[in-house]
Amino acid sequence: MVTRREWLLASGAVAAALALPARSAFAQPARTVKVAIGQKTIAPNLVNLLIGEGLGYNAAEGFKAQFMTVGGVSNAQVAIDRGDSDISTGVPSFALPILAKGEWGKAIHFYQYTYPYKWDVAVKPESTLTSYEELKGKNIGVPDFAETAFPVTKNVLRSLGLDPDRDVKWTAVGTGVAAGVALQRGAVDALAYYDTGFGQIEGAGIPFKMLPLPKNVPMVGGQFLMALRERIAKDRDLMVGYGRSVAKASVFLAASPRAGARAFLKMYPEAAPRGSSEEDAIKSVLLATARRIKLYDPPYAGAKIGSINPEEFRIEAQMNDMKISSFDAFLTNELIDEINSFDREEIKRQALAYA
């Protein structure tokens, strides 16, 4: 488990993080909101967090976003704790152990930007493996040990009665196409990755097949936005504004994935495969995001976009034998009604008319 002290020791990585200011054709508002993202590079899996800048949704709320890729998810949490960011991405697999130890700081999750379940395990097309249970004794590749596929897949194996620390071997194989190449060359027996990562591998023409998801896969592994509680109290409109921008971007993407891909590439043309045409670049983003876009709306009847179901945290804590009596200091839905105060149909019309 990662301790709070270890997170603070990792703060040097935050200080050295590469800040990537998003580009926009709109006049820039006076305020800048720093958003720390717990991965090493800008990629299509972040699309609903990013394109609100290029579409003018951030400007409409009175701010400009500055996105900082800080490495791992633990570093994104450090950025919040130290005040290096205004908002950070967060995942329960790294945060819940801290909460269980009673060492949780002053950050609180206020918006869920991707819902479970987005991970799979893939094998080579000719592999004889047919189930997660058959992974016992095998070498499973993950992009990085600081990336969410690692702890989430461990939780799934644990739910099947396997000991993920003893029954399998784990190997970090890199992200994107590099992960697919590791599987293709037999460096690992299987690859645990998330939806947009597999989309990148598919776009590179690397063949694979997914193992069937176990029945009743646990609803864990959501991804969240968090901020300091005192910051939410002080700058509530700002936090609501960014949440609303992400919600609008999510609706925009669902209405027209192609328009969302074009908006993303206008902001980050360097994210396109090297040497690709505009059409091929758009296709690469569409392949990467096809599965993810389906996870922007909550899978719970009557729930509003961005709302957080604490049951996801309870399930993950229980799976890992964590004793947590209350999640009141860990999450809030108090901003959700305000975040959802926009015309979804108008956003859909914008997406369909996007040039």
Side-chain angles (χ1 to χ4, degrees), residues 51-85:
I51 64 171
E53 182 73 18
L55 294 173
Y57 298 153
N58 293 350
E61 300 292 341
F63 68 90
K64 168 183 167 41
Q66 180 182 348
F67 301 106
M68 306 184 299
T69 51
V70 296
V73 292
S74 59
N75 288 340
Q77 191 122 21
V78 170
I80 279 291
D81 286 343
R82 290 172 55 92
D84 294 334
S85 68

Side-chain angles (χ1 to χ4, degrees), residues 30-313:
R31 305 187 73 182
T32 297
V33 175
K34 294 181 179 179
V35 182
I37 295 170
Q39 59 187 56
K40 296 177 181 178
T41 59
I42 291 293
N45 66 306
L46 303 168
V47 63
N48 65 328
L49 299 184
L50 302 173
I51 64 171
E53 182 73 18
L55 294 173
Y57 298 153
N58 293 350
E61 300 292 341
F63 68 90
K64 168 183 167 41
Q66 180 182 348
F67 301 106
M68 306 184 299
T69 51
V70 296
V73 292
S74 59
N75 288 340
Q77 191 122 21
V78 170
I80 279 291
D81 286 343
R82 290 172 55 92
D84 294 334
S85 68
D86 304 305
I87 296 170
S88 285
T89 58
V91 294
S93 56
F94 285 87
L96 285 173
I98 305 303
L99 181 65
K101 289 183 175 183
E103 298 176 355
W104 184 250
K106 297 180 180 180
I108 192 163
H109 301 82
F110 68 90
Y111 184 96
Q112 187 161 355
Y113 69 89
T114 308
Y115 290 90
Y117 183 80
K118 65 183 72 64
W119 293 269
D120 277 289
V121 174
V123 295
K124 292 199 290 187
E126 65 272 21
S127 173
T128 59
L129 296 173
T130 60
S131 70
Y132 277 56
E133 288 86 349
E134 293 176 5
L135 292 170
K136 185 173 183 178
K138 303 301 182 182
N139 184 4
I140 304 176
V142 292
D144 188 289
F145 293 128
E147 195 275 327
T148 53
F150 179 52
V152 171
T153 306
K154 288 177 69 174
N155 277 335
V156 174
L157 294 180
R158 190 177 290 111
S159 74
L160 298 173
L162 298 179
D163 184 336
D165 295 317
R166 297 185 179 184
D167 291 340
V168 300
K169 178 182 177 182
W170 301 94
T171 300
V173 294
T175 60
V177 176
V181 170
L183 178 65
Q184 185 180 44
R185 293 180 176 175
V188 292
D189 301 305
L191 174 65
Y193 210 176
Y194 52 73
D195 49 3
T196 55
F198 280 121
Q200 289 176 297
I201 295 169
E202 185 178 7
I206 297 174
F208 58 87
K209 66 178 181 181
M210 302 290 197
L211 295 181
L213 280 175
K215 292 182 179 179
N216 302 318
V217 65
M219 291 294 284
V220 298
Q223 294 176 309
F224 303 83
L225 298 175
M226 60 182 170
L228 295 178
R229 287 188 290 275
E230 60 192 42
R231 186 68 191 278
I232 291 177
K234 178 182 177 182
D235 291 311
R236 183 187 182 95
D237 289 348
L238 199 62
M239 301 301 164
V240 169
Y242 184 65
R244 188 181 292 139
S245 175
V246 174
K248 286 180 178 180
S250 300
V251 173
F252 185 100
L253 284 153
S256 177
R258 182 180 179 83
R262 293 187 69 241
F264 172 73
L265 288 168
K266 280 186 177 181
M267 294 175 63
Y268 299 102
E270 66 273 19
R274 185 173 299 175
S276 61
S277 66
E278 180 183 1
E279 186 59 29
D280 286 342
I282 290 172
K283 288 180 180 178
S284 72
V285 176
L286 289 174
L287 277 172
T289 57
R291 298 179 180 92
R292 175 63 58 92
I293 289 172
K294 299 174 183 178
L295 302 177
Y296 291 156
D297 270 313
Y300 312 111
K304 293 183 177 181
I305 191 169
S307 61
I308 302 172
N309 186 344
E311 188 64 19
E312 294 180 21
F313 298 141

